[in-house]
């Protein structure tokens, strides 16, 4: 009888310990984000911005991975891009496509200040119609790009990258290589924008 009680206690303790262990997807996601942090991509889980199609293809719905590369000694224009047909396209809600080359009206800033006119220097959208050129394991999950001051931020479903149902070709050994390509592209896009602004 004492042996049976001992076995039940051991099974109970082991079951409790197994319940505390993160599942496989959480472990993969942790590995991805720790590698990104080591590569200075500054990953964060954020609420989907209202200008990006998130969960169920609805604007501002769900959570996304935000990976930010800070580039010292760089000044980037304030721009937002969405992915449409594998290309970067300027966010149409952010830009007033007027013919005035000197003024850009920012609708979100107007709503925030409740004034009639808020203007900043017109941005040259040099990435318009540029292809993503990212690894096939990352590209389908990319949603948007934001640049401002000295940072370039990419929004993507990083959890879909590690989930077997959405990325059956996932290989843990490819994480660093994929993130290095992502970082190189962020640097390339930032340089392209800096040269044309």
């Amino acid at each position: 009888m004492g042996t049976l009680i001992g076995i039940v206690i051991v099974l109970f303790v082991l079951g409790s310990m197994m319940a505390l262990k993160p599942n496989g997807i959480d472990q993969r996601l942790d590995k991805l984000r720790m590698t990104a942090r080591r590569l200075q991509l500054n990953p964060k889980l954020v609420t989907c911005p209202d200008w990006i199609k998130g969960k169920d293809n609805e604007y501002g719905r769900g959570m996304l991975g935000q990976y930010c590369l800070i580039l010292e000694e760089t000044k980037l224009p304030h721009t937002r891009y969405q992915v449409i047909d594998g290309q970067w396209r300027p966010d149409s809600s952010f830009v007033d496509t007027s013919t005035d080359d000197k003024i850009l009206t920012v609708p979100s800033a107007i709503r925030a200040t409740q004034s009639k006119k808020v203007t900043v220097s017109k941005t040259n959208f040099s990435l318009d119609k540029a292809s993503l050129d990212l690894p096939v394991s990352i590209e389908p999950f990319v949603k948007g790009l934001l640049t401002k001051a000295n940072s370039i931020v990419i929004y993507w479903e990083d959890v879909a990258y590690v989930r077997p149902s959405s990325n059956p070709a996932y290989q843990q050994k490819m994480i660093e290589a994929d993130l290095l390509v992502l970082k190189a592209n962020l640097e390339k896009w930032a340089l392209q924008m800096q040269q044309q602004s």
Side-chain angles (χ1 to χ4, degrees), residues 25-85:
I25 292 174
D26 289 340
Q27 290 176 10
R28 290 174 169 191
L29 190 56
D30 183 54
K31 171 79 173 156
L32 174 69
R33 291 182 179 159
M34 291 304 287
T35 304
R37 188 167 286 116
R38 188 171 44 80
L39 295 174
Q40 299 175 338
L41 287 172
N42 306 312
K44 281 198 284 187
L45 181 65
V46 297
T47 304
C48 181
D50 61 357
W51 55 275
I52 294 178
K53 288 184 180 180
K55 188 176 181 182
D56 299 329
N57 218 21
E58 291 182 31
Y59 285 99
R61 188 154 183 245
M63 302 293 281
L64 290 177
Q66 170 187 295
Y67 287 51
C68 175
L69 180 63
I70 298 173
L71 302 163
E72 301 297 330
E73 309 292 324
T74 303
K75 182 153 175 55
L76 296 171
H78 188 71
T79 60
R80 298 191 313 204
Y81 292 91
Q82 295 178 346
V83 178
I84 299 174
D85 297 329

Side-chain angles (χ1 to χ4, degrees), residues 104-121:
L104 166 70
T105 303
V106 183
S108 58
I110 291 171
R111 285 191 301 270
T113 61
Q114 298 300 318
S115 66
K116 294 194 180 208
K117 225 173 197 184
V118 174
T119 57
V120 294
S121 298

Side-chain angles (χ1 to χ4, degrees), residues 47-183:
T47 304
C48 181
D50 61 357
W51 55 275
I52 294 178
K53 288 184 180 180
K55 188 176 181 182
D56 299 329
N57 218 21
E58 291 182 31
Y59 285 99
R61 188 154 183 245
M63 302 293 281
L64 290 177
Q66 170 187 295
Y67 287 51
C68 175
L69 180 63
I70 298 173
L71 302 163
E72 301 297 330
E73 309 292 324
T74 303
K75 182 153 175 55
L76 296 171
H78 188 71
T79 60
R80 298 191 313 204
Y81 292 91
Q82 295 178 346
V83 178
I84 299 174
D85 297 329
Q87 297 178 328
W88 290 122
R89 299 307 316 266
D91 175 27
S92 60
S93 66
F94 180 65
V95 176
D96 174 18
T97 54
S98 68
T99 57
D100 187 348
D101 288 339
K102 305 231 186 280
I103 294 175
L104 166 70
T105 303
V106 183
S108 58
I110 291 171
R111 285 191 301 270
T113 61
Q114 298 300 318
S115 66
K116 294 194 180 208
K117 225 173 197 184
V118 174
T119 57
V120 294
S121 298
K122 190 137 188 170
T123 303
N124 179 355
F125 288 98
S126 57
L127 291 184
D128 189 20
K129 296 186 180 177
S131 63
L132 269 60
D133 292 329
L134 292 170
V136 293
S137 54
I138 291 179
E139 191 168 314
F141 309 119
V142 173
K143 299 292 186 174
L145 185 76
L146 170 71
T147 62
K148 60 182 176 178
N150 66 342
S151 62
I152 183 166
V153 179
I154 193 162
Y155 294 94
W156 67 301
E157 294 176 292
D158 57 353
V159 71
Y161 173 84
V162 298
R163 191 177 289 137
S165 60
S166 54
N167 186 9
Y170 168 83
Q171 293 180 11
Q172 185 171 330
K173 64 184 178 185
M174 293 302 296
I175 288 175
E176 187 165 353
D178 288 347
L179 289 177
L180 283 170
V181 171
L182 175 64
K183 183 177 181 180

